[in-house]
Amino acid sequence: MLAISVQLLHGIFRGDPDGTASTGRLSRGEWPPSPARLFAALIAADGTGDASRVTDGTELDWLERLPPPVIYADASPPHQVLEPRYVVEQRRDAAGGAHQEYVGRTGTLSRAGVRVAPRIPRVVYWWPEDEPEDAILGALRRRAARVGYLGASDSPVRLRVTTGPLPAVGLASAFAPDDEGDLSINVARPGDVGRWDHLHERWQERGASVGRSQFPALAHPRRYRSPAAGKGPDRGEVAAWLRLAPAISGRRVAAVTARFKDAVLSQHQRIHGDPPPVLHGHGISGAGYEIARYLALPDAGYPRSRGRIHGLALWLPPGCDGDLRRKAGDAARSIPRLSGPGFDVEVSPRDGESRPRASHPDRWRGPSRDWATAIPAIHERRGRLDLAEIARWCEHAGLPEPLSFRSERTPLIPGGLDLAPAEVNRPGRPGRPYSHVAIRFEDAVEGPVVIGSGRQRGFGLCVPLDGKG
């Protein structure tokens, strides 16, 4: 097999997918970076024919004949539309002197397009059934070492060419070639080296007036299946997983989730405009609706757990489209700090690291048949707590009917939060009873599992017990 790994050194990628960036109408950047773009970068790294210095070009002829690769990349990174700006015009004979920083030079409008910031700054192109000879492999590695950037010049990269087992990329999302796929991605085809040579010759003759759009023969769209295609029923989705430093006392959970909600709404307003009702809950009518859940993630369920809050998660209910989820995730991940009574901490997106375990998504996803509350669940109504009432809670939370349950006023697992009424109920609101609950389902359930009337504030958050200690 052959794998070419691309490390995004600045954590971002900027590329124009269809030539519309200069018009200012581009709203989504190219993602993942196309195999054709990677091939073009390898050509530029050492040229072709007499221009080559460290290779003889046979590796390009071999590479262009390969089938489209599987692409491992972040499934849904945030896309940021960059603001237009004025830069110095390159013509030295421009009349007048309209540029403030460069006297005697004229400014010209530049529209940079869209910047993509994947959570894991790495892309891997994988050909599982094709392995080059040693000479080809060595030439590809020499070319890869000379590639400085992919797409725009502010997207510096480091390339690595490997064979053997697929490298540990930290990415579970794969864009796979599929004739019935939902995406169109440009790939390389046999003869592309000659087509690029022809384009280069025209550029040498006529300069910047020659653009790739004038050579449609270089466009080879191929259908790909994205990681989002073919998923099961929509049961809601976590739009952002965040990490806190340092950890916060679990007794601050109500204040932490309240500040988290305020920060998400504020950042959404700043970046994307007015937040939708699903984030703040106002203006929604009717029965049975769900809104966003602002979750604090405590260390709970392990023998030495202490209940300190190490992370945050923003969950969005079923029915939210991809654009809404993206904007909400952008808002959450852009929060720099979170401050409140008794805490002032840094907030950062999770970057694939395994620790702390309490803020790792796998800790809260399960799947598991048995779940227990790490944060007490607030009762939906007063009265006796029985299996029928717990089943009602589960129905409201989008969960299947439970087989059994048990409840206590105090935590049922190590690190579970033992809170006073003033730490659960909101000031000026009638107090409600609350309990710690353990639930068993007939089949394994995927999380996050959150039950009770306070689930929008993070109360009733459960940890999976199957194999969790």
Side-chain angles (χ1 to χ4, degrees):
M1 56 140 282
L2 171 70
I4 301 180
S5 177
V6 179
Q7 183 74 27
L8 302 174
L9 298 181
H10 286 180
I12 60 99
F13 171 75
R14 185 165 67 87
D16 188 349
D18 52 14
T20 60
S22 61
T23 67
R25 296 194 294 269
L26 189 65
S27 61
R28 300 283 291 175
E30 179 180 311
W31 191 260
S34 71
R37 189 179 293 277
L38 173 68
F39 186 71
L42 290 170
I43 292 177
D46 192 41
T48 61
D50 295 339
S52 296
R53 294 292 181 267
V54 299
T55 68
D56 61 9
T58 56
E59 70 285 355
L60 296 176
D61 296 331
W62 180 85
L63 189 63
E64 71 177 5
R65 291 195 298 269
L66 295 185
V70 177
I71 308 171
Y72 284 88
D74 190 342
S76 55
H79 293 238
Q80 179 187 14
V81 179
L82 300 178
E83 294 293 334
R85 65 186 188 277
Y86 281 88
V87 299
V88 177
E89 190 172 359
Q90 296 303 312
R91 292 194 306 112
R92 292 187 175 274
D93 59 346
H99 201 287
Q100 294 180 347
E101 287 81 11
Y102 295 85
V103 178
R105 299 290 293 277
T106 300
T108 185
L109 182 64
S110 172
R111 296 185 176 94
V114 179
R115 179 167 55 202
V116 184
R119 297 161 187 81
I120 299 177
R122 187 182 296 110
V123 182
V124 177
Y125 303 85
W126 185 43
W127 291 265
E129 299 178 358
D130 300 276
E131 186 165 338
E133 299 176 355
D134 290 345
I136 297 293
L137 178 61
L140 284 175
R141 284 174 170 166
R142 290 192 292 274
R143 279 192 181 266
R146 295 165 68 91
V147 174
Y149 60 88
L150 200 62
S153 59
D154 60 357
S155 305
V157 297
R158 180 186 295 120
L159 266 60
R160 183 185 178 200
V161 181
T162 58
T163 58
L166 183 68
V169 295
L171 294 160
S173 303
F175 296 78
D178 186 338
D179 290 338
E180 298 182 358
D182 57 316
L183 289 180
S184 181
I185 298 178
N186 209 23
V187 300
R189 291 276 178 84
D192 272 359
V193 173
R195 297 181 186 104
W196 277 111
D197 283 343
H198 184 53
L199 172 59
H200 182 63
E201 291 170 1
R202 291 292 178 269
W203 178 81
Q204 287 181 309
E205 293 174 5
R206 294 158 49 194
S209 63
V210 176
R212 180 175 174 175
S213 61
Q214 300 172 20
F215 288 78
L218 283 168
H220 311 297
R222 176 70 158 82
R223 301 304 296 180
Y224 269 73
R225 183 184 69 255
S226 72
K231 287 187 175 181
D234 184 3
R235 301 187 186 280
E237 181 181 343
V238 173
W241 297 93
L242 308 176
R243 183 163 51 98
L244 303 178
I248 305 172
S249 167
R251 308 194 74 89
R252 306 286 185 183
V253 60
V256 168
T257 55
R259 292 296 192 276
F260 180 33
K261 178 179 180 179
D262 291 344
V264 169
L265 297 178
S266 176
Q267 292 295 89
H268 195 290
Q269 179 73 44
R270 181 182 66 84
I271 300 172
H272 297 297
D274 292 339
V278 72
L279 290 182
H280 51 67
H282 300 299
I284 300 178
S285 60
Y289 65 85
E290 268 281 30
I291 59 175
R293 300 174 188 170
Y294 297 86
L295 308 178
L297 309 177
D299 174 24
Y302 297 112
R304 297 185 180 180
S305 293
R306 299 172 55 197
R308 296 182 66 79
I309 299 170
H310 289 267
L312 302 167
L314 173 62
W315 178 91
L316 297 178
C320 294
D321 61 34
D323 188 57
L324 190 154
R325 288 194 297 266
R326 176 183 62 83
K327 291 179 178 179
D330 289 350
R333 285 185 292 272
S334 66
I335 299 171
R337 297 192 69 84
L338 206 63
S339 301
F343 62 90
D344 181 18
V345 295
E346 293 183 359
V347 182
S348 60
R350 282 201 58 88
D351 220 2
E353 66 272 16
S354 60
R355 300 289 178 180
R357 183 66 180 170
S359 64
H360 197 287
D362 291 348
R363 177 61 180 139
W364 305 99
R365 286 174 175 160
S368 174
R369 292 181 62 213
D370 295 285
W371 295 79
T373 51
I375 303 173
I378 301 175
H379 296 198
E380 292 192 355
R381 53 186 181 181
R382 301 180 184 276
R384 180 170 171 266
L385 200 58
D386 55 17
L387 186 59
E389 181 65 10
I390 296 296
R392 184 172 175 273
W393 293 7
C394 290
E395 180 185 359
H396 293 170
L399 299 168
E401 184 175 342
L403 289 178
S404 61
F405 87 103
R406 66 188 180 102
S407 66
E408 297 287 347
R409 172 62 181 80
T410 55
L412 297 169
I413 56 174
L417 305 187
D418 189 5
L419 303 178
E423 295 168 328
V424 175
N425 295 302
R426 287 182 282 190
R429 302 284 186 91
R432 284 179 173 268
Y434 56 94
S435 304
H436 277 280
V437 180
I439 307 173
R440 166 164 287 185
F441 298 98
E442 181 176 2
D443 299 313
V445 171
E446 291 191 1
V449 169
V450 195
I451 58 174
S453 72
R455 57 188 180 275
Q456 284 77 28
R457 299 189 289 135
F459 286 91
L461 176 64
C462 300
V463 295
L465 300 183
D466 291 359
K468 300 296 182 182

